[in-house]
């Protein structure tokens, strides 16, 4: 049995990092595994299995180096001993497979397209949101959560003085919502970030006191977790990426039901910075959940190996 993992070429995101983490996990479990980098989303329009024309050999970002070195596939055979793992953005690309086992890993959350109905496929959920969505489609998904890069996790930082009493936010998902929310805080310092390496991220998180993530899109995102373990007070909406408590086990002061509640709590925190920072530092369940993620991931990898062996 061999595993081939499809990943977008020249992309540096949390979801693509997850695909490289899976490579590392399968390799450590003694499995035969290769990466296949796809350079064009036109692969989703394939009617017959011919992926080689979309494959390339890009330079691999340093961000993923802890998961390598990587063996690259020259082709993706449609054979009965092959498992092809695709992120949901490439789920249509693996529809033409006839002999290999397709697996679709929901790293944000796009439900399986109707064309999968009645077909052999293993849906994989990175979040409880994804698991529930798959179950509502009548599927039996496998749970495979991700974990934070060891380059960004710092177990020693919980509270640190001298931070900017302002707000930092992600310049990707949730950026428009964050900007709109911050209009209610004239005069408060704020900064967005996007496309930074791990060293730069580490500096951002340790410099600022508050991190907001008012995202309504689904998925279990890494940025709030990265900010939390590096000492920021994290504020999320109990919707989208944090709709399910298991995807963000924070109490209601920090996992807010509405934008209005988030604004109210953030305002109080900006005015009495020490109290809320110490209260967030006491969110031990959240930090422990983040730091226990590698063990959950390792279990998910073993479950994946068992499920795929049964389905081949």
């Amino acid at each position: 049995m061999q595993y081939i993992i499809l990943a977008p070429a020249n992309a540096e995101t949390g979801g693509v990092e997850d695909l490289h983490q899976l490579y590392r996990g399968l390799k450590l479990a003694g499995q035969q595994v290769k990466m296949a980098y796809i350079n064009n989303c036109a692969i989703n329009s394939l009617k017959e299995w011919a992926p080689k024309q979309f494959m390339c050999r890009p330079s691999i970002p340093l961000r993923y180096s802890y998961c390598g070195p990587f063996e690259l596939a020259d082709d993706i055979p449609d054979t009965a001993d092959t498992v092809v793992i695709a992120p949901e953005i490439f789920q249509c690309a693996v529809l033409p497979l006839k002999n290999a086992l397709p697996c679709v890993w929901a790293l944000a959350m796009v439900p399986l397209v109707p064309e999968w109905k009645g077909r052999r496929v293993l849906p994989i959920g990175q979040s409880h949101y994804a698991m529930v969505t798959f179950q509502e489609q009548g599927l039996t998904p496998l749970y495979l959560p991700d974990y934070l890069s060891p380059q960004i996790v710092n177990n020693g930082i919980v509270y640190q003085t001298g931070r900017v009493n302002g707000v930092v936010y992600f310049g990707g998902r949730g950026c428009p919502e964050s900007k709109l929310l911050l209009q209610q805080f004239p005069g408060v310092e704020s900064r967005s970030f996007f496309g930074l390496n791990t060293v730069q991220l580490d500096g951002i998180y340790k410099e600022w006191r508050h991190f907001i993530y008012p995202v309504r899109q689904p998925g279990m995102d890494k940025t709030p977790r990265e900010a939390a373990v590096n000492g920021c007070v994290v504020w999320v909406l109990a919707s989208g990426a944090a709709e399910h408590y298991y995807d963000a086990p924070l109490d209601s002061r920090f996992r807010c039901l509405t934008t209005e509640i988030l604004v109210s709590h953030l305002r109080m925190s900006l005015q009495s910075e020490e109290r809320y920072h110490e209260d967030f530092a006491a969110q031990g369940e959240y930090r422990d959940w983040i730091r226990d993620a590698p063990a959950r991931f390792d279990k998910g990898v073993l479950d994946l190996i068992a499920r795929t062996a049964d389905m081949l």
Side-chain angles (χ1 to χ4, degrees), residues 107-119:
L107 298 171
M109 189 55 234
V110 177
L112 289 188
V113 296
E115 287 81 358
W116 283 110
K117 189 173 183 179
R119 303 277 298 276

Side-chain angles (χ1 to χ4, degrees), residues 6-310:
L6 274 59
N10 304 311
E12 194 166 352
T13 67
V16 179
E17 182 178 7
D18 292 351
L19 297 166
H20 290 82
Q21 288 179 348
L22 179 55
Y23 176 96
R24 179 178 184 271
L26 289 168
K27 202 77 171 174
L28 289 176
Q31 302 301 302
Q32 184 179 345
V33 56
K34 296 179 181 179
M35 295 295 300
Y37 294 99
I38 307 302
N39 62 13
N40 195 322
C41 282
I43 191 173
N44 285 315
S45 62
L46 283 179
K47 301 302 180 187
E48 299 292 334
W49 186 243
K52 193 168 184 177
Q53 60 186 306
F54 300 102
M55 295 169 62
C56 65
R57 290 179 171 264
S59 58
I60 300 172
L62 185 63
R63 172 175 176 170
Y64 311 142
S65 61
Y66 70 96
C67 300
F70 304 102
E71 184 177 356
L72 273 57
D74 294 318
D75 201 355
I76 307 173
D78 186 9
T79 55
D81 63 344
T82 300
V83 178
V84 181
I85 300 172
E88 76 268 41
I89 61 167
F90 288 150
Q91 63 168 297
C92 292
V94 293
L95 271 168
L97 287 170
K98 292 182 173 62
N99 302 301
L101 172 63
C103 303
V104 177
W105 194 8
L107 298 171
M109 189 55 234
V110 177
L112 289 188
V113 296
E115 287 81 358
W116 283 110
K117 189 173 183 179
R119 303 277 298 276
R120 185 181 65 150
V121 60
L122 175 58
I124 305 171
Q126 176 255 13
S127 64
H128 280 271
Y129 191 112
M131 295 293 286
V132 170
T133 302
F134 282 141
Q135 289 163 357
E136 288 173 347
Q137 290 188 280
L139 302 167
T140 305
L142 181 139
Y143 184 47
L144 184 61
D146 61 7
Y147 59 93
L148 296 185
S149 163
Q151 300 166 313
I152 202 69
V153 174
N154 187 328
N155 291 332
I157 296 289
V158 173
Y159 175 75
Q160 179 177 310
T161 59
R163 291 173 179 259
V164 177
N165 188 32
V167 180
V168 65
Y169 60 96
F170 185 46
R173 292 182 75 187
C175 183
E177 295 90 337
S178 296
K179 287 182 176 180
L180 186 63
L181 186 153
L182 287 170
Q183 289 178 10
Q184 301 188 52
F185 295 91
V188 171
E189 290 188 71
S190 64
R191 176 179 174 177
S192 67
F193 66 88
F194 184 76
L196 302 183
N197 61 39
T198 51
V199 174
Q200 293 168 322
L201 280 175
D202 190 65
I204 289 282
Y205 292 137
K206 288 181 171 63
E207 179 184 358
W208 291 79
R209 189 175 298 279
H210 301 280
F211 175 87
I212 60 171
Y213 201 64
V215 170
R216 298 188 182 278
Q217 299 99 317
M220 186 175 64
D221 295 327
K222 289 185 173 176
T223 45
R225 291 176 276 161
E226 292 171 346
V229 297
N230 283 287
C232 294
V233 181
V234 171
W235 309 86
V236 300
L237 280 180
S239 64
E243 178 174 330
H244 296 273
Y245 179 79
Y246 295 108
D247 289 336
L250 288 162
D251 72 32
S252 58
R253 286 171 298 173
F254 307 103
R255 179 175 168 267
C256 305
L257 288 174
T258 66
T259 302
E260 291 73 23
I261 293 174
L262 193 158
V263 167
S264 174
H265 288 191
L266 176 58
R267 192 181 306 281
M268 287 189 287
S269 181
L270 287 164
Q271 293 168 353
S272 57
E273 53 193 74
E274 301 298 329
R275 175 195 150 198
Y276 273 82
H277 210 136
E278 291 171 358
D279 286 352
F280 189 81
Q283 299 285 302
E285 182 181 357
Y286 186 57
R287 292 195 314 278
D288 291 345
W289 170 78
I290 293 170
R291 290 170 186 154
D292 291 343
R296 292 195 300 272
F297 179 84
D298 290 343
K299 179 184 182 303
V301 170
L302 296 178
D303 291 344
L304 173 66
I305 293 168
R307 283 280 298 273
T308 52
D310 286 344

